């Protein structure tokens, strides 16, 4: 009976759905419903990020509930997450250097060639993998970018038999990469921005300076771009997010904890990072280690706070940092994180 509904009615009902998860479930009802609805819907609003808290568990920020997903064998203790983008996880098998993209909502996977640099003595040569887009929406131009330690990076796109490893040509220690308008932008530990034009395979560098900071004691210094800094675009503006850490003693010894963040905006006219103190109605979602940053207007996310940074750190906890009053609160629901490569993911059916 349900399978015999008119196609236009099935599609019309699907457009009433606002949740990515509900949309995926709707298409799974039967074959006719799946064929009558697009795999990549355009009507869905901005989704609340999910926080990956274990190999199989995701914490839904909109409901404070945990979703148990059957990701095996894609995610296990022998795999690491090296990025999240457009609703996809970048999963790498530490033992065989296999690279897979996984959509945790649909369980769709895309296999990429082995990343040969991982064949070295250990996997520490890889920092993260960034994606240009969803591999399903723009498969013809989809590009994966692997940021490696030192002066190298690797690129793969459709038609390549293997990853192409390239050199920046300067002493450059990249810490994060992000894609925008046909290029990958990478920030190094000295604040330098390297740009890789995908189509032209052209590399350029922008030597950035920072706003000079004066401490209460009169010392003048520049902020340090540490290994956990992140790039993110807020509309057309590139931001550099630098966490501040502190070593704290407890009964088990010393541990490092996050005590705040500094945010800088690129002023391309004068090649300068200028500190900003507000994100307005937007907030950032940052996972620990090899994560990607999600930037959202929280007016579209009921229950999320504006001008905040949602983050996880080395304490295996999830917190909210307010840029307004510099305070840190526990994430509502206080999910227990048991995964060292925890990431925020935008649930998407694409």
């Amino acid at each position: 009976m349900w399978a015999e509904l008119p196609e236009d009615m099935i599609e019309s009902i699907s457009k009433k759905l606002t949740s990515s998860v509900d949309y995926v479930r709707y298409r799974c009802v039967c074959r006719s419903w799946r064929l009558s609805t697009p795999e990549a819907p355009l009507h869905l609003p901005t989704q609340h990020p999910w926080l990956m808290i274990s190999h199989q568990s995701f914490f839904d920020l909109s409901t404070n509930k945990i979703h148990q997903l059957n990701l095996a064998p894609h995610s296990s203790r022998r795999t690491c997450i090296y990025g999240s983008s457009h609703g996809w996880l970048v999963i790498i098998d530490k033992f065989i250097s296999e690279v897979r993209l996984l959509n945790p909502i649909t369980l769709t996977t895309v296999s990429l060639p082995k990343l040969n640099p991982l064949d070295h003595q250990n996997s520490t040569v890889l920092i993260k993998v960034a994606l240009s887009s969803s591999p399903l929406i723009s498969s013809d131009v989809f590009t994966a970018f692997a940021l490696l330690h030192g002066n190298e990076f690797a690129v793969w796109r459709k038609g390549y038999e293997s990853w192409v490893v390239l050199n920046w040509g300067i002493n450059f220690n990249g810490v994060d990469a992000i894609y925008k308008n046909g290029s990958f932008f990478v920030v190094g530990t000295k604040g330098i921005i390297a740009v890789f034009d995908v189509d032209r395979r052209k590399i350029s560098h922008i030597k950035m300076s920072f706003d000079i900071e004066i401490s209460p004691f009169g010392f003048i210094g520049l902020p340090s771009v540490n290994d956990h800094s992140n790039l993110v675009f807020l509309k057309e503006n590139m931001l550099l997010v630098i966490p501040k850490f502190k070593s704290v003693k407890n009964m088990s010894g010393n541990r490092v904890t996050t005590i705040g963040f500094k945010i800088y905006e690129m002023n391309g006219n004068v090649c300068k990072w200028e500190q900003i103190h507000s994100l307005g109605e937007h907030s950032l979602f940052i996972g620990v280690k090899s994560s990607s940053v999600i930037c959202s207007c929280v007016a579209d996310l009921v229950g999320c706070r504006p001008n905040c940074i949602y983050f996880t750190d080395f304490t295996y906890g999830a917190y909210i940092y307010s840029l307004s009053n510099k305070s840190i609160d526990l994430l509502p629901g206080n999910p227990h994180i048991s995964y060292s490569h925890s990431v925020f993911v935008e649930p998407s059916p694409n």
Side-chain angles (χ1 to χ4, degrees):
M1 175 181 175
W2 291 108
E4 296 174 357
L5 288 175
E7 289 186 11
D8 58 345
M9 181 180 292
I10 296 172
E11 184 176 8
S12 178
I13 295 173
S14 73
K15 290 181 179 179
K16 302 293 184 181
L17 301 174
T18 59
S19 164
S20 291
V21 177
D22 289 342
Y23 187 84
V24 171
R25 289 169 176 164
Y26 184 84
R27 296 188 75 241
C28 290
V29 170
C30 62
R31 185 172 183 272
S32 66
W33 286 32
R34 184 168 62 255
L35 295 177
S36 301
T37 51
E39 184 177 6
L42 301 177
H43 74 279
L44 291 176
T46 302
Q47 302 292 298
H48 281 75
W50 285 11
L51 175 62
M52 188 174 188
I53 58 177
S54 75
H55 296 283
Q56 311 288 332
S57 305
F58 291 78
F59 182 76
D60 186 343
L61 272 67
S62 64
T63 61
N64 291 345
K65 294 182 178 179
I66 295 175
H67 296 275
Q68 299 290 346
L69 304 180
N70 183 18
L71 303 186
H74 308 294
S75 178
S76 64
R77 298 194 180 278
R78 61 179 286 164
T79 61
C80 286
I81 305 295
Y82 277 93
S84 63
S85 180
H86 304 279
W88 293 74
L89 298 173
V90 181
I91 299 178
I92 297 182
D93 190 303
K94 295 178 290 186
F95 298 97
I96 60 176
S97 307
E98 184 180 61
V99 183
R100 291 190 303 271
L101 308 181
L102 170 67
N103 186 319
I105 307 301
T106 64
L107 299 183
T108 303
T109 61
V110 175
S111 296
L112 304 184
K114 289 186 177 182
L115 192 51
N116 291 329
L118 291 183
D119 292 335
H120 294 177
Q121 293 298 319
N122 53 63
S123 61
T124 58
V125 296
L126 178 64
I127 297 175
K128 75 174 297 180
V129 177
L131 309 179
S132 64
S133 62
S134 164
L136 298 186
I137 293 178
S138 53
S139 58
D140 290 341
V141 295
F142 167 75
T143 307
F145 180 97
L147 180 59
L148 310 177
H149 274 285
N151 301 323
E152 292 185 330
F153 64 96
V155 178
W156 181 89
R157 67 187 310 182
K158 186 176 181 180
Y160 289 13
E161 294 183 358
S162 62
W163 291 80
V164 176
V165 179
L166 300 170
N167 193 292
W168 289 117
I170 62 172
N171 185 18
F172 184 78
N173 295 311
V175 296
D176 193 33
I178 192 171
Y179 178 85
K180 185 77 169 181
N181 297 333
S183 295
F184 285 95
F185 297 82
V186 184
V187 63
T189 52
K190 296 182 180 179
I192 296 175
I193 290 290
V195 185
F196 176 69
D197 185 312
V198 175
D199 290 331
R200 300 166 61 191
R201 286 203 190 182
K202 180 181 178 181
I203 299 171
S204 56
H205 307 95
I206 307 172
K207 188 173 183 180
M208 304 287 294
S209 62
F210 279 93
D211 273 341
I212 295 178
E213 300 179 350
I214 303 179
S215 75
F217 304 100
F219 297 110
I220 298 177
L222 297 176
S224 172
V225 180
N226 57 51
D227 290 343
H228 303 279
S229 303
N230 288 278
L231 291 176
V232 63
F233 276 99
L234 176 54
K235 297 181 179 179
E236 296 300 316
N237 300 321
M238 183 189 292
L239 306 182
L240 173 61
V241 185
I242 304 177
K244 297 185 294 181
F245 300 114
K246 181 179 180 180
S247 180
V248 178
K249 285 187 176 181
N250 59 17
M251 296 183 63
S252 59
N254 290 336
R255 66 182 178 94
V256 176
T257 186
T258 306
I259 59 173
F261 294 84
K262 289 186 177 181
I263 304 178
Y264 296 85
E265 182 178 86
M266 174 190 275
N267 185 333
N269 295 324
V270 293
C271 296
K272 188 176 184 180
W273 288 114
E274 298 176 344
Q275 188 171 5
I276 63 173
H277 301 279
S278 175
L279 294 168
E281 291 300 309
H282 290 77
S283 282
L284 305 179
F285 299 82
I286 305 176
V288 76
K289 292 190 177 181
S290 302
S291 178
S292 299
V293 183
I294 297 173
C295 179
S296 291
C297 178
V298 296
D300 302 324
L301 304 177
V302 178
C304 287
R305 293 160 48 181
N307 198 31
C308 290
I309 298 177
Y310 290 70
F311 71 98
T312 60
D313 75 354
F314 306 98
T315 63
Y316 283 37
Y319 308 93
I320 307 174
Y321 175 74
S322 170
L323 288 162
S324 300
N325 56 28
K326 306 297 186 294
S327 64
I328 295 180
D329 300 316
L330 281 172
L331 188 72
N334 191 21
H336 173 69
I337 299 174
S338 61
Y339 191 51
S340 62
H341 285 69
S342 59
V343 295
F344 283 99
V345 184
E346 299 172 281
S348 171
N350 306 329

